[in-house]
Structure formats: structure tokens, C-alpha cells
Amino acid sequence: MHADFWLERWAQNQIGFHLGEVNPYLQRHWPKLQLPAGARVLVPLCGKSLDLTWLAAQGHRVLGVELAERAVEDFFAEQGLQAEVREHGAFKIYRAGALELWCGDFFALGAADVADCSALYDRAALIALPPALRERYAAQLTAILPAGCQGLLITLDYQQSQMNGPPFAVSDTEVQERFAEGWQVEQLERLDVLKGNWKFLKQGLQSLDETVYRLRKR
Ligand SMILES: C[S@@+](CC[C@H](N)C(=O)[O-])C[C@H]1O[C@@H](n2cnc3c(N)ncnc32)[C@H](O)[C@@H]1O
């Protein structure tokens, strides 16, 4: 997906992926990771998700990465937070307390940037990307995150021929393969979420499964 695609989505406020509440899977499964409060959490492709605030409220330091400056600015404005802004390499870093949002391309992130991250949270990041970029994304996480890092990954799966992404369909097999090298992958929950999901029903989908994984880097 080209950067312009996402910048245009934000400019047009076409952000159907944004949830008006904290993700219930995050609240249900995050405690299982038993992370110390001060742990720093990497949130790739973070948008202006309320999950960022929830993670900070658990005592975590949060490092969100987001391409669209509009999303980053909206996040701090909507949270009523005044952010300090500074440049760091290819990124513009917005910071308020424990919340840091790095505005720039996730693929420009280096190992030194995330050396003290012991956790990862991916909701609608992997599934936002087409296959070739998903491969790069998983390889990038594997390359830059330190051993012992663990987190949650939330995916959607459906018949890709029935709808164009994003969100893209990511099967269980794909997750297992993409993270086979370097990660332990454990499925925590799989739910059929098609019923009542009018947006996807309208597209003619016949199935829609949401899966939550626990990832642990070896
Ligand atoms: C489907 S949205 C999900 C946002 C957020 N995770 C959520 O749950 O609301 C994907 C986001 O990734 C951002 N994005 C796409 N490609 C990116 C990249 N290469 N680097 C950083 N952000 C990117 C988009 O601007 C968009 O806000």
C-alpha cells in the first residue's frame, strides 16, 4: 500500500478502522503477558487508537509509529494532551508523558530505536498491508525487536476473493509461517465476527474470523 493511500484516507477522514473504544481483546489478553508496568510497548501503524492511551494507563511507556501526521495530531488533540515535538532521523516525535508517537515510515525504524521495547501490540497493522509488505513487516519486527519481547497480534481472516483489502485476509497458516523464524506463536482466541458486521456483510463476505495471537521473540 502506497503512503499516499493512507495519507489520503486520513485527509478524507475515511478511517472506518478506528475504534471509538479500547479494543476488548487487548483488555482481555494483555494481562496474560504479565509485563512489568514500566515496560516499553511498540505499537506499529498505530493510527490514533485509544489502545495507546489504555496501554499508557497500565503504566507502560508507549512507542507508536504512524505515517500520517494528521492521525498523530488528532490523537493528542482528542486526548487533550499537549505534545512536545522533536526531529529524530526520519521521524518527527510527538511526546506527552509516557506516550510517544513517531510520525514516519515504520520501515525506517532501526534496532537502536526499539532496543528497550519489551512488548509489541499489533491491531490492524499486519492486516493493513498487502502480501509483499506483510513479509517486509514481519521481517522488520524480527530484525529490530530484542529477544524476549512479547506481545499481541490481532488478525482478520476471510475469503480474499470476496473483498479487496485493506483490511487484508491473513490466515492462521500465514501467521505461523511469517513468524516461524524467531518467534513463538500461540493462538489465544478465534471468533467468528461476521454476524452484525454490516460493513463486511454488505461486501458479500461469507465468513470473517478475528484471531488473537500471543507472540514471543526467542
Ligand atoms: C488500518 S489502520 C490501523 C490503525 C490502528 N492500529 C488502529 O487500530 O486504529 C493502519 C494505519 O497504518 C498507517 N500506516 C500505513 N503504512 C505505514 C507505514 N509504512 N508506517 C507507519 N504507519 C503506516 C496508516 O496511516 C494507518 O493509520
Side-chain angles (χ1 to χ4, degrees), residues 2 7 11 28 81-82 96-97 99 104 106 117 121 131-132 136-137 140 146-147 152 179 182 190 193 196 208 211-212:
H2 204 272
L7 299 181
R28 186 149 65 241
L81 296 169
Q82 186 75 41
L99 283 159
F106 169 73
C117 284
Y121 175 61
R136 262 186 84 192
Y137 173 85
Q140 162 87 341
L152 297 179
F179 293 95
R190 187 172 179 95
V193 293
L208 182 67
T211 309
V212 186

Coordinates of all heavy atoms in Angstrom, one line a residue, residues 2 7 11 28 81-82 96-97 99 104 106 117 121 131-132 136-137 140 146-147 152 179 182 190 193 196 208 211-212:
H2 N 0.6 2.1 -0.9 CA 1.5 3.3 -1.0 C 1.1 4.3 0.1 O 0.0 4.4 0.6 CB 1.1 3.9 -2.4 CG 2.2 4.8 -2.9 ND1 2.3 6.1 -2.5 CD2 3.3 4.5 -3.6 CE1 3.4 6.6 -3.1 NE2 4.0 5.7 -3.8
L7 N -2.4 8.5 3.6 CA -2.5 10.0 3.8 C -3.8 10.5 3.3 O -4.4 11.3 4.0 CB -1.3 10.7 3.2 CG 0.1 10.3 3.7 CD1 1.2 11.1 3.0 CD2 0.2 10.5 5.2
A11 N -6.8 12.3 5.3 CA -7.2 13.6 4.8 C -8.7 13.6 4.6 O -9.4 14.6 4.9 CB -6.4 14.0 3.6
R28 N -8.7 -8.0 27.5 CA -8.8 -9.3 27.9 C -7.5 -10.1 28.0 O -7.3 -10.8 28.9 CB -9.8 -10.1 27.0 CG -10.2 -11.4 27.4 CD -11.6 -11.8 27.0 NE -11.8 -12.0 25.6 CZ -12.7 -11.2 24.9 NH1 -13.4 -10.3 25.5 NH2 -12.8 -11.4 23.6
L81 N -4.1 16.4 25.2 CA -2.7 16.4 25.6 C -1.8 17.3 24.7 O -2.0 17.4 23.5 CB -2.1 15.0 25.4 CG -2.7 13.9 26.3 CD1 -2.1 12.5 25.9 CD2 -2.3 14.1 27.8
Q82 N -0.9 18.1 25.4 CA 0.0 19.0 24.6 C 1.3 18.2 24.4 O 1.9 17.8 25.4 CB 0.2 20.2 25.5 CG 1.0 21.3 24.9 CD 0.2 22.1 23.8 OE1 -1.0 22.4 24.1 NE2 0.8 22.4 22.7
A96 N 4.1 13.2 24.9 CA 3.4 13.7 26.1 C 3.4 12.6 27.2 O 2.8 11.6 27.0 CB 1.9 14.1 25.8
G97 N 4.2 12.9 28.3 CA 4.3 11.9 29.3 C 4.8 10.6 28.8 O 5.9 10.6 28.1
L99 N 3.6 8.7 26.5 CA 3.1 8.5 25.2 C 4.0 9.1 24.1 O 4.1 10.4 24.1 CB 1.7 9.0 25.0 CG 0.6 8.2 25.6 CD1 -0.6 9.1 25.8 CD2 0.3 7.0 24.7
G104 N 6.2 8.9 10.9 CA 7.1 8.5 9.8 C 6.9 7.1 9.4 O 5.9 6.4 9.8
F106 N 7.2 3.2 9.3 CA 7.6 2.1 10.2 C 8.9 1.4 9.7 O 9.7 0.9 10.5 CB 6.5 1.1 10.3 CG 6.8 -0.2 10.9 CD1 7.0 -0.2 12.3 CD2 7.0 -1.3 10.2 CE1 7.4 -1.4 12.9 CE2 7.4 -2.5 10.8 CZ 7.6 -2.6 12.2
C117 N 12.4 -1.9 24.0 CA 10.9 -2.3 23.9 C 10.9 -3.8 24.3 O 11.5 -4.6 23.7 CB 10.4 -2.1 22.5 SG 10.0 -0.4 22.1
Y121 N 2.4 -4.5 20.3 CA 0.9 -4.6 20.1 C 0.5 -4.3 18.7 O 0.8 -3.1 18.2 CB 0.2 -3.6 21.1 CG -1.3 -3.7 20.9 CD1 -2.1 -4.8 21.1 CD2 -2.0 -2.5 20.6 CE1 -3.4 -4.8 20.9 CE2 -3.4 -2.5 20.4 CZ -4.1 -3.7 20.5 OH -5.5 -3.7 20.4
P131 N 0.4 -8.5 0.7 CA 1.3 -9.6 1.0 C 2.8 -9.2 1.0 O 3.5 -9.6 1.9 CB 1.0 -10.6 -0.1 CG -0.4 -10.3 -0.5 CD -0.6 -8.9 -0.3
A132 N 3.3 -8.5 0.0 CA 4.7 -8.3 -0.1 C 5.2 -7.4 1.1 O 6.2 -7.6 1.7 CB 5.1 -7.6 -1.4
R136 N 7.7 -8.0 4.5 CA 8.7 -7.0 5.0 C 8.4 -6.6 6.4 O 9.4 -6.4 7.2 CB 8.6 -5.7 4.2 CG 9.6 -5.6 3.1 CD 9.5 -4.3 2.4 NE 10.3 -3.2 3.1 CZ 10.2 -1.9 2.8 NH1 9.4 -1.5 1.9 NH2 10.9 -1.1 3.5
Y137 N 7.2 -6.5 6.8 CA 6.8 -6.1 8.1 C 7.2 -7.1 9.2 O 7.8 -6.7 10.2 CB 5.2 -5.9 8.1 CG 4.6 -5.6 9.5 CD1 4.6 -4.3 10.0 CD2 4.1 -6.6 10.3 CE1 4.0 -4.0 11.2 CE2 3.5 -6.4 11.5 CZ 3.5 -5.1 12.0 OH 2.9 -4.8 13.2
Q140 N 10.9 -7.1 9.5 CA 11.4 -5.9 10.2 C 11.2 -6.1 11.7 O 12.1 -5.8 12.5 CB 10.6 -4.7 9.7 CG 10.6 -3.5 10.5 CD 11.8 -2.6 10.2 OE1 12.7 -3.0 9.6 NE2 11.7 -1.3 10.6
P146 N 14.1 -6.8 20.4 CA 15.1 -7.7 21.1 C 14.5 -9.0 21.5 O 13.2 -9.2 21.6 CB 15.3 -6.8 22.4 CG 14.2 -5.9 22.5 CD 13.7 -5.7 21.1
A147 N 15.3 -10.0 21.8 CA 14.9 -11.3 22.3 C 14.1 -11.1 23.6 O 14.3 -10.2 24.4 CB 16.1 -12.2 22.5
L152 N 0.8 -8.9 21.6 CA -0.4 -9.4 21.0 C -0.5 -9.0 19.5 O -0.1 -7.9 19.2 CB -1.6 -8.9 21.7 CG -1.8 -9.3 23.2 CD1 -3.1 -8.6 23.7 CD2 -1.9 -10.8 23.4
F179 N 6.0 -15.8 11.2 CA 6.7 -15.6 12.5 C 7.4 -16.9 13.0 O 7.8 -17.0 14.1 CB 5.7 -15.1 13.6 CG 5.2 -13.7 13.3 CD1 4.0 -13.5 12.6 CD2 6.0 -12.6 13.6 CE1 3.6 -12.2 12.3 CE2 5.6 -11.3 13.3 CZ 4.4 -11.1 12.7
G182 N 12.2 -17.2 14.7 CA 12.5 -16.2 15.7 C 11.3 -16.0 16.7 O 11.6 -15.3 17.7
R190 N -10.1 -17.2 18.8 CA -10.5 -17.0 17.4 C -12.1 -16.9 17.5 O -12.7 -17.8 18.0 CB -10.1 -18.2 16.6 CG -10.4 -18.0 15.1 CD -9.8 -19.1 14.2 NE -10.0 -18.9 12.8 CZ -9.2 -18.3 11.9 NH1 -8.1 -17.8 12.3 NH2 -9.5 -18.2 10.7
V193 N -16.8 -13.1 13.6 CA -17.3 -11.8 13.9 C -18.2 -11.3 12.7 O -18.4 -10.1 12.7 CB -16.2 -10.8 14.2 CG1 -15.5 -11.2 15.5 CG2 -15.1 -10.7 13.1
G196 N -23.7 -9.3 12.3 CA -23.8 -7.9 12.9 C -22.7 -7.0 12.4 O -22.7 -5.8 12.7
L208 N -15.9 -14.3 8.4 CA -15.0 -13.3 8.9 C -14.5 -13.7 10.3 O -15.4 -13.7 11.3 CB -15.7 -11.9 8.9 CG -14.8 -10.8 9.4 CD1 -13.7 -10.5 8.4 CD2 -15.7 -9.5 9.6
T211 N -8.7 -13.3 15.0 CA -7.8 -14.1 15.8 C -6.9 -13.3 16.6 O -6.3 -12.3 16.1 CB -7.1 -15.1 15.0 OG1 -8.0 -15.8 14.1 CG2 -6.4 -16.2 15.8
V212 N -6.7 -13.7 17.9 CA -5.7 -13.0 18.7 C -4.5 -14.0 19.0 O -4.8 -15.1 19.4 CB -6.3 -12.6 20.1 CG1 -5.3 -11.8 20.9 CG2 -7.6 -11.8 19.9

